[in-house]
Amino acid sequence: MNCRDLEPLVMPYLDGELVEAERLAVERHLTECAGCSKQAEVGRHNRTLLRTLVKAGTPPAPESLKAKIFTSVRAVEARQRQGRFLRLSAAAAGVALCAFVGHQQWRSFQRRLYVEDAASRHARQFPLEVRLPQPEALEAWFDGKLGHRVAVPRFPNAIAEGARVLNVREKQAAYIRYDAPARASAQPRQVGLFVFGDNSNDVDVGARGAPDLRNSNGYNVVTWREGDLVYQLVTDLEEDDIRELLPSEPPMRVPVPVPVPTRRPLDVQPAAFQR
Amino acid sequence: MLGFSTRSDKTRAEFEGLVAPWLDSLYGGALRLTRNERDAEDLVQDTVMRAYRFFDKFERGTNFRAWLFKILTNTFINGYRRQVKERSLGDESERQSVEAQFFSADTTDQAQNPEDFLLQRVMSDDVLKAIDGLPIDFRMVVILADLQEFSYKEIAEILDVPVGTVMSRLFRGRRQLEGLLRKRELAEEAPLVDLNAYRERKKLG
C-alpha cells in the first residue's frame, strides 16, 4: 500500500468502518510512513474535537416538549380506542337496526297473512251456524263458545244475517255476516266480520289503533283493534261505502264536515234600494 | 372492549419505553436540521407521532433508533425543508453577511489545508454554526455520523442511499466543516478587544 492508496481509507479507518484486512493494511502503512501517520493523527484529533464540541453544544430536548409528546401519544391512543369503540358501536347499532327493520317487516308480513286469510275465508262462504239479526242475540249465542267475550258491533245501515265460529289463521274467531247497502248497486253487499282475541299482539294493527285498510283477493279488509280484540272486516264494498258503514266507529277517524249555519236572508234592504 | 383497550395500552407503553431514551438525540438532530428551536420541537413531535402511528410497521428487534431517525429525516425532507428554505431565503443575505463577518473572503482560500490541527479554542457555537452552513445533504450525513454516531451502513439505510454516497458526502461535509472552522480561526487571530480591559479603562478614566 502506498500513500495514494491510503488517502481514501483514512476517514473510514478513523470511523472504525474498515474490515479487518483493510484495517491491518492501513495500520501497517501508518507505522512505515511518517507523513501519513501525521495526517491520520490530525484527522483523529479533529474528528474527536468536532464530535466533542458538537455534542457539548447540543442541548437536551426541553422537558415541556417531552411532556407534550407523551400527552399527544396518550391522546392518540385514547382516540384509537374510542374509534374502535365507535366502530363497534356503529356495528352494534347496524345489527340492531337490521333486527328492528327485520322485525318490522316480519310484523308487516304477519299482518298481511291475517288479512289474506280473513279475505279468503270470507270468500269461501262457509255456512252460518246461526241466523239471527239482533246483535244482542248473537252476543248471547257466542257466549262461552270462544275464549273471549264477543261484542258485536252495531252498524247503523247493515243488518246482521247470522254468525259462526271460524278461524283466522290459528286464531279462533267469531264470524258475523251482514248485508250492507252499496251506492253502486241496488243489491246489498255482504260484509264479513271476524272478531278474535289477540293478547300477544300477533296482528300488528297500524299505529295508535287506527284502522288499517288493505286489499286482498279483490276484497277490502279493514283491521282494527280494541284492547285484546282484533276486528277484521272483509267486504267487496267500495272504500266510500265502508266509511258510510262505519261512521260511528271510534277508531275510524273520518273527518266530518262541520255544517256551516246558513242564515235566512233578511227581507230588509237599505233605504236607497227601496223603491 | 376490554381486550382492545389492554392491547392498545400495552402497545403505547412499549412505544413510550422505546422512544423515551432517544428524545434528546432526536431533538439534537432536529435542531441542526431546522436550525431553530421552534421548528426542531415541531419536527420531533411530528416524528414521534408518525412513529407511533406506524409503530405496527416497525419490526421488533431491529434498530429502533435508526428507524426513528429515518422518520425524522423523511419528515424533515418532506415537510420542513421547503418551509425552512422559504424562511431562510428571506434572511439568506443576513446569514451570508454573518458568515462574511466570521470568514472574510481573503482568508477562505488559504484555509483549506486538512493537515492542520484545529485549535482547541474553537467553540461549540462555532462548530454548530459551521454545520448549519453546510448544504443539507452534507449536513444530514455529518449530523448522523458525528452527532448521532451512526455507522455508514445505518446512515445509508436512514437516508436510503448507497454506503459509497454516505462516505463521499461525509468526507466532503467534514472537509467543508473544517475549512469553515479554520476560516473562523484565522479571523480570530486578529487582536480582539479585551472587554474587561476596556471596562477597567472606562472605570479609571
Side-chain angles (χ1 to χ4, degrees), chain B residues 94-162:
Chain B
E94 189 206 354
R95 198 167 61 80
Q96 278 174 348
S97 75
V98 170
E99 266 171 31
Q101 279 174 3
F102 282 127
F103 323 116
S104 60
D106 54 331
T107 57
T108 308
D109 294 329
Q110 358 167 337
Q112 300 293 353
N113 187 353
E115 289 179 26
D116 286 350
F117 285 104
L118 282 170
L119 295 178
Q120 292 287 359
R121 76 165 129 121
V122 172
M123 305 295 286
S124 281
D125 246 21
D126 303 331
V127 177
L128 298 181
K129 253 184 211 132
I131 289 178
D132 289 356
L134 292 176
I136 183 64
D137 286 337
F138 296 169
R139 188 145 46 100
M140 285 202 290
V141 177
V142 169
I143 290 166
L144 292 172
D146 288 330
L147 178 58
Q148 308 297 343
E149 302 198 358
F150 279 114
S151 71
Y152 294 177
K153 195 165 164 286
E154 285 171 321
I155 297 171
E157 278 167 14
I158 289 167
L159 298 178
D160 227 355
V161 294

Side-chain angles (χ1 to χ4, degrees), chain A residues 54-67:
Chain A
V54 170
K55 279 178 202 152
T58 301
E63 287 305 315
S64 59
L65 173 65
K66 293 182 184 177

Side-chain angles (χ1 to χ4, degrees), chain A residues 15 47-55, chain B residues 145-146 149 174:
Chain A
D15 285 333
R47 180 182 177 278
T48 309
L49 182 65
L50 278 180
R51 288 194 166 195
T52 310
L53 290 173
V54 170
K55 279 178 202 152
Chain B
D146 288 330
E149 302 198 358
R174 281 172 173 168

Side-chain angles (χ1 to χ4, degrees), chain A residues 10-23:
Chain A
V10 173
M11 188 190 74
Y13 167 69
L14 295 173
D15 285 333
E17 293 274 354
L18 293 183
V19 296
E20 189 69 3
E22 284 176 319
R23 187 177 61 83

Side-chain angles (χ1 to χ4, degrees), chain A residues 7-8 11-13 15 17 35 38-39 41-43 45-47 49-66 68-70 72-74 76-77 80-81 84-85 88, chain B residues 1 4-5 8-9 12 15-16 19-20 23-24 27-28 31 41 44-45 48-49 52 114-120 122 124 127-128 131 145-147 149 151-152 167 170-171 174 177-178 181-182:
Chain A
E7 209 189 331
M11 188 190 74
Y13 167 69
D15 285 333
E17 293 274 354
K38 172 84 191 316
Q39 199 194 324
E41 199 190 329
V42 170
H45 165 85
N46 288 353
R47 180 182 177 278
L49 182 65
L50 278 180
R51 288 194 166 195
T52 310
L53 290 173
V54 170
K55 279 178 202 152
T58 301
E63 287 305 315
S64 59
L65 173 65
K66 293 182 184 177
K68 204 167 83 181
I69 285 172
F70 287 123
S72 304
V73 168
R74 273 154 210 259
V76 168
E77 191 237 332
Q80 283 172 347
R81 209 184 322 171
R84 271 194 292 269
F85 173 69
L88 276 178
Chain B
M1 263 318 291
F4 278 124
S5 71
S8 74
D9 211 50
R12 178 183 53 75
F15 178 78
E16 284 179 355
V19 84
L23 288 179
D24 286 339
Y27 178 70
L31 206 51
E41 288 200 20
V44 173
Q45 168 113 14
V48 175
M49 296 321 290
Y52 183 55
E115 289 179 26
D116 286 350
F117 285 104
L118 282 170
L119 295 178
Q120 292 287 359
V122 172
S124 281
V127 177
L128 298 181
I131 289 178
D146 288 330
L147 178 58
E149 302 198 358
S151 71
Y152 294 177
M167 284 173 73
L170 187 58
F171 184 79
R174 281 172 173 168
L177 196 55
E178 287 179 23
L181 288 168
R182 225 166 256 117

